[in-house]
Every structure is written in structure tokens, then in C-alpha cells.
Amino acid sequence: MKKIGIAILLFTVLGMTACFEDDSTLGTVEVGDIEIAALRDTSIVSYNGNVLHVEPVVTAGYSEEEMNYAWYIHGGQFDEDGDVPGGYRTNCISEEKVLDYEVNLPSGVYTLTFEAMADNGYAKTTRMSLTVSTPFSQGFYLLKETADGNTEVDLLTQDGLRSDLLTEMQGVPLDGKPLGMSIVYASGYINEDNQQLESGNVLHVSSEDDYRGFRTEDMGEVFNLSNLAYTPFEAGEMPLNMLESITSIYMATDKGVYTTDNAYMGATSSKFGLPLMEGGSKHILKVANNFIVFWNEQEHCLAEASSELSWELPAGYEAENLNCIASGFNAYNGVETGWFLLEDGTTGGRLLAFVTGDYN
């Protein structure tokens, strides 16, 4: 009986095996690797017909016919790739392996993403940084008087000297001899082309008879005497100097000191209101972040932006005889020092006044 039972069980197992026979095969796809050599960060001047040319080096386990390429840009006025549903693929600028891209972008830092993808969907990416400047956004501006007594501006860059920007861009220089020039790095303004609030670096230039403010992206005019302030200036009043603190822009004229918000605080027109106090000059300094001190030409004294400073003159000097002929500041070891060189109009004697503050 034991032998018969074993035989029956053996035939049963064999029968089950026959019922579950599988003649299918396992599907496989061979996936090759893709390697992209590192891309070098670069910089370029915009609005000048310049073309960014990049030839990436790609090593792949696929034929070239199986490969697809694309370039994407983000940063600047484009969305950051982490802030949009499409991710880094949101702003495509090329679907070629070799990039030839004419750069007409506002100055700033952008990120380019290069993607190499096989037909089966396997992909690799790498990135590079693109720093964009404009023909007017880098270099040194030089204020000068023309041979016929008017006001002009030159621009000195690593490519050489570009002379007479105002005549080149506006057609004529400013009437009258130069009075002052300054740059505000976070100024708001109203773009007259679309009536929208925008912001950027603004070059302020004033002469004895005129004043203009130009955005350094393209030297387009954004300010003049009619729109710089909410109320008209007094007759003959001209901006002499401007500077920024953490939150504000200060303007000194020959008759007063004004303030307005800068663009770090949000959208603003950066127009000036009523003066903080009467009296002013081109000699105005920012010491230790928000401490604004200037030479008050009308009162012949040093003053803070909203009050008069207490100071004592050496024996033999009278305040009404003093004039400021130069000013400046330096920073060392956490301390800023502003200085004002004063000259006695009667005796010719000179004094050096210091204002210090800790900016740590």
C-alpha cells in the first residue's frame, strides 16, 4: 500500500507541472550611460549683437541618431526652475546640441541647463552660469566739461574710452557746466513706455542749467526736473549729489536734503517729497549704514540729515567764514570715517573734520 500511494502522488505532481507550463520570455531593454563634460561659467555683453557659443562634450552609449538635446534658461526675469511646474524645462532657448544664442537680456546672473536625452527617455543634465552686462552697466563714468562749457559723460571700460555718452544717446549734452554725478544702485522709477514701476541702477547727472537721470541698462532717461520730485523745485535749485542707505535714497541740492524709499523696500517710484531740512551742498556722506551727514552751505556747519551736529571749532575760526572744498570717507577694521576739508575764506587756513561710526 505504501508503494502505490507514492506512485499516485508522483503522477499528481507531474500533472500539475504540465498544467502550469510557461512559454513566455523576459522583456529587457539595454540602457547605456550618458556623460557630459563640465561646462564653464561665462559672461557676455548684451544688446550688442553678441552670440553665446557653447559646444558641450557628450559621451553616450547610444548612436547620435538616438540622442536629443535641449538648452534651458532660468534666473533673472525668468522663473527659477524650482518655482514652476515645468521645472528646468520651462524656458527652452535651443533644441540643438551646440548652442548659438544671441544675448539680448537685462544685466544679471542667469543659469543655463543643458540636457542630453536618449530616445528611451534616459537623460543627463549639467549647468553653467551666465553673467550678463550691458554696454553701459560696467566700467567707470567720468563727468566732464566740454570745450564750449556744457556737461558730458564718458565711460571707461576694459575695451577703452567711450566718449560723450549724452550726445551719443540723447543728441545733445546738458546745458551749463557740470555740478554733480552719482549712481543709485536700487532706484525705482516709472517706465514711460508701459507706465509700470521698475527698478535698477540709475546714473544722475546735473549741470548748472539742467538735470537728468539715466538707467544704466541702456542710458534711457527715467528722471528729469519735472518728475524727480512730487513738488517742483525752487527756481534755480539743482540736485547735487545722491546716495543710498539700507532703506532710503538721499538727495542733496543747494537748498535742502530730501529722502525717498529705494527699491530694496519693494515697488516704488523713488520720487522725492518735501526736504528733511533746509540747506545743503554736494558734500554729503553715509557713515555707518544710516548715519547721513553733510555740509550745510547756508548755515556753514556740519549737519545730520534731520538735525544739526554739535561740534566745536578751534580758536581763531568762525563758522560763517568756512567753506567745504572736499569730502570723502574710508572704512577700516569695522569703523567708517567720513571727512570734510574746510577752508577759511578770510585767512585761507584749513581744517579737517572727522565723523566716525561703527558699521559692524
Side-chain angles (χ1 to χ4, degrees):
M1 292 294 293
K2 183 183 293 184
K3 293 181 178 179
I4 295 174
I6 293 174
I8 294 173
L9 177 61
L10 180 60
F11 284 120
T12 303
V13 172
L14 292 173
M16 292 177 63
T17 303
C19 291
F20 288 93
E21 182 179 355
D22 185 1
D23 60 357
S24 64
T25 58
L26 177 63
T28 60
V29 176
E30 183 178 352
V31 177
D33 197 12
I34 299 174
E35 295 294 336
I36 306 173
L39 300 177
R40 295 180 58 183
D41 296 340
T42 190
S43 59
I44 197 167
V45 177
S46 185
Y47 307 124
N48 232 15
N50 290 334
V51 175
L52 176 65
H53 179 79
V54 184
E55 296 185 23
V57 177
V58 180
T59 304
Y62 304 91
S63 67
E64 194 64 22
E65 289 73 22
E66 297 175 287
M67 294 295 296
N68 303 281
Y69 304 100
W71 289 86
Y72 304 91
I73 189 170
H74 30 279
Q77 79 270 36
F78 302 103
D79 293 321
E80 291 294 341
D81 60 341
D83 298 335
V84 291
Y88 68 84
R89 293 190 175 104
T90 301
N91 306 299
C92 182
I93 59 174
S94 175
E95 293 184 344
E96 301 293 333
K97 180 179 180 180
V98 176
L99 178 66
D100 286 297
Y101 177 58
E102 184 172 345
V103 179
N104 293 300
L105 300 170
S107 59
V109 179
Y110 300 83
T111 300
L112 299 183
T113 299
F114 172 65
E115 178 182 62
M117 178 185 293
D119 285 342
N120 61 16
Y122 181 67
K124 284 286 187 71
T125 63
T126 191
R127 293 186 170 189
M128 61 179 288
S129 176
L130 174 64
T131 301
V132 177
S133 61
T134 73
F136 308 103
S137 63
Q138 290 189 351
F140 296 90
Y141 287 101
L142 308 173
L143 182 67
K144 71 178 185 181
E145 181 179 346
T146 63
D148 53 357
N150 292 316
T151 297
E152 258 297 356
V153 174
D154 294 343
L155 177 62
L156 180 63
T157 71
Q158 61 183 4
D159 297 323
L161 185 67
R162 189 169 181 172
S163 300
D164 301 334
L165 289 185
L166 304 186
T167 299
E168 176 186 343
M169 303 304 297
Q170 307 292 314
V172 292
L174 292 190
D175 291 336
K177 296 182 179 182
L179 286 182
M181 180 179 69
S182 52
I183 292 182
V184 174
Y185 292 99
S187 177
Y189 54 84
I190 299 175
N191 188 332
E192 298 294 340
D193 295 333
N194 55 24
Q195 295 301 309
Q196 298 295 314
L197 288 175
E198 297 182 1
S199 62
N201 302 335
V202 175
L203 173 71
H204 299 272
V205 183
S206 58
S207 68
E208 291 179 339
D209 301 317
D210 204 353
Y211 155 82
R212 303 294 169 87
F214 307 97
R215 57 183 176 231
T216 59
E217 283 290 301
D218 55 5
M219 285 299 288
E221 181 183 316
V222 292
F223 288 117
N224 52 55
L225 288 175
S226 67
N227 66 3
L228 184 60
Y230 288 106
T231 57
F233 291 112
E234 294 185 20
E237 184 177 9
M238 287 291 178
L240 299 176
N241 200 354
M242 295 192 192
L243 51 80
E244 283 181 279
S245 68
I246 296 176
T247 61
S248 303
I249 302 170
Y250 290 87
M251 174 180 65
T253 73
D254 52 349
K255 300 183 184 299
V257 175
Y258 301 73
T259 187
T260 185
D261 291 337
N262 61 26
Y264 293 131
M265 303 306 293
T268 175
S269 67
S270 291
K271 284 189 175 185
F272 293 95
L274 296 174
L276 294 175
M277 62 184 304
E278 299 297 324
S281 72
K282 67 179 180 180
H283 300 290
I284 182 170
L285 302 174
K286 176 176 69 70
V287 181
N289 293 326
N290 280 328
F291 188 57
I292 309 299
V293 61
F294 68 99
W295 175 253
N296 189 325
E297 192 66 45
Q298 288 68 32
E299 300 296 329
H300 294 269
C301 67
L302 287 175
E304 199 263 334
S306 59
S307 62
E308 184 176 330
L309 294 174
S310 59
W311 64 312
E312 295 183 3
L313 291 173
Y317 288 90
E318 299 293 335
E320 59 268 21
N321 296 329
L322 295 178
N323 296 294
C324 185
I325 60 175
S327 61
F329 78 97
N330 68 289
Y332 177 74
N333 197 26
V335 176
E336 285 189 348
T337 301
W339 57 266
F340 296 84
L341 181 59
L342 310 177
E343 185 175 71
D344 190 310
T346 302
T347 66
R350 292 184 175 183
L351 298 172
L352 195 58
F354 295 99
V355 180
T356 62
D358 188 341
Y359 62 84
N360 284 335

